């Protein structure tokens, strides 16, 4: 959706996609379309100073529901470089934000479940063999604080007494335990 405004902030152009998304917003977008009017004013101030503004903002849809919008706003300049208006390109990212939130909540719930299981669970990155997650039971078994384990190569903690090959396998590959540094 594309909208254009004068340097004073009066809205004078919107394409069909803008009409469909926001409807008629009047001549003062910061006070009519932005959920937080101060954000709208900041966008206009930044653009009118010759800058550009890119980011996620909450805006009111045509039906007055709140949309998460990716806004890219740029100064429209004349041949002498003077700002004569702004152009805003709006992309509705509401569904994406809802999906991201749902995935984050699901991941948090899964981590809570995994952390309460009494069996030791360690998630290891396949290529580097770096520990990306370890639950409380595994931390207790190893006896090293979680923050000292996460991000380190697994064989430093899982098989510290072993020499040579570590018995932990990943898709049938034995992890080499010959380097023993933290």
């Amino acid at each position: 959706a594309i909208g254009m405004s004068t340097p004073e902030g009066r809205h004078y152009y919107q394409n069909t996609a803008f009409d469909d998304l926001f409807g008629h917003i009047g001549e003062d977008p910061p006070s009519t379309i932005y959920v937080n009017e101060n954000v709208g004013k900041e966008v206009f101030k930044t653009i009118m100073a010759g800058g550009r503004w890119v980011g996620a903002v909450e805006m009111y849809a045509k039906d007055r529901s709140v949309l998460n919008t990716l806004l890219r706003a740029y100064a429209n300049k004349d041949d002498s470089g003077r700002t004569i208006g702004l152009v805003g390109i709006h992309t509705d990212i509401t569904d994406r934000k809802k999906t991201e939130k749902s995935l984050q909540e699901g991941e948090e719930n899964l981590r809570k479940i995994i952390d309460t299981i009494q069996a030791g669970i360690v998630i290891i990155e396949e290529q580097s063999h770096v520990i990306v997650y370890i639950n409380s039971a595994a931390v207790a078994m190893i006896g090293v604080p979680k923050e000292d384990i996460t991000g380190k190569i697994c064989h430093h903690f899982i098989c510290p007494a072993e020499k040579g090959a570590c018995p932990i396998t990943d898709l049938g590959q034995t992890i080499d335990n010959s380097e023993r540094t933290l």
Side-chain angles (χ1 to χ4, degrees), residues 92-127:
D92 180 3
I93 58 172
T94 304
D95 289 340
R96 183 176 85 191
K97 288 286 192 180
K98 286 178 184 175
T99 300
E100 287 172 359
K101 183 179 179 187
S102 179
L103 288 171
Q104 287 173 343
E105 289 170 354
E107 184 177 311
E108 288 171 18
N109 289 335
L110 180 59
R111 285 189 189 273
K112 287 176 187 175
I113 291 168
I114 290 173
D115 210 41
T116 60
I117 293 173
Q118 297 303 308
I121 298 176
V122 179
I123 300 174
I124 301 168
E125 199 280 326
E126 184 177 356
Q127 298 299 317

Side-chain angles (χ1 to χ4, degrees), residues 33-176:
I33 194 171
Y34 290 85
V35 172
N36 182 337
E37 185 176 343
N38 291 330
V39 171
K41 288 178 179 179
E42 182 61 32
V43 169
F44 276 80
K45 180 180 170 185
T46 300
I47 302 312
M48 293 312 146
R52 67 183 183 104
W53 200 96
V54 177
V57 296
E58 290 184 327
M59 300 179 121
Y60 290 115
K62 190 179 205 174
D63 65 3
R64 299 307 287 169
S65 64
V66 175
L67 297 174
N68 287 294
T69 307
L70 174 60
L71 173 62
R72 295 161 306 241
Y74 307 91
N76 184 12
K77 298 180 180 184
D78 64 15
D79 291 339
S80 67
R82 184 175 59 96
T83 299
I84 58 173
L86 73 80
V87 177
I89 303 168
H90 310 75
T91 304
D92 180 3
I93 58 172
T94 304
D95 289 340
R96 183 176 85 191
K97 288 286 192 180
K98 286 178 184 175
T99 300
E100 287 172 359
K101 183 179 179 187
S102 179
L103 288 171
Q104 287 173 343
E105 289 170 354
E107 184 177 311
E108 288 171 18
N109 289 335
L110 180 59
R111 285 189 189 273
K112 287 176 187 175
I113 291 168
I114 290 173
D115 210 41
T116 60
I117 293 173
Q118 297 303 308
I121 298 176
V122 179
I123 300 174
I124 301 168
E125 199 280 326
E126 184 177 356
Q127 298 299 317
S128 65
H129 306 290
V130 168
I131 298 170
V132 293
Y133 178 80
I134 184 166
N135 74 345
S136 297
V139 169
M141 289 176 198
I142 296 170
V144 177
K146 182 183 261 189
E147 52 277 355
D148 292 344
I149 298 172
T150 306
K152 303 291 191 309
I153 297 173
C154 68
H155 65 266
H156 295 295
F157 300 99
I158 310 288
C159 310
E162 294 288 324
K163 300 285 187 216
C166 181
I168 294 180
T169 60
D170 184 12
L171 301 175
Q173 297 176 342
T174 301
I175 298 170
D176 182 353

Side-chain angles (χ1 to χ4, degrees), residues 16-38:
T16 304
F18 193 101
D19 288 335
D20 293 344
L21 198 57
F22 301 113
H24 179 70
I25 63 167
E27 293 186 357
D28 185 22
S31 66
T32 58
I33 194 171
Y34 290 85
V35 172
N36 182 337
E37 185 176 343
N38 291 330

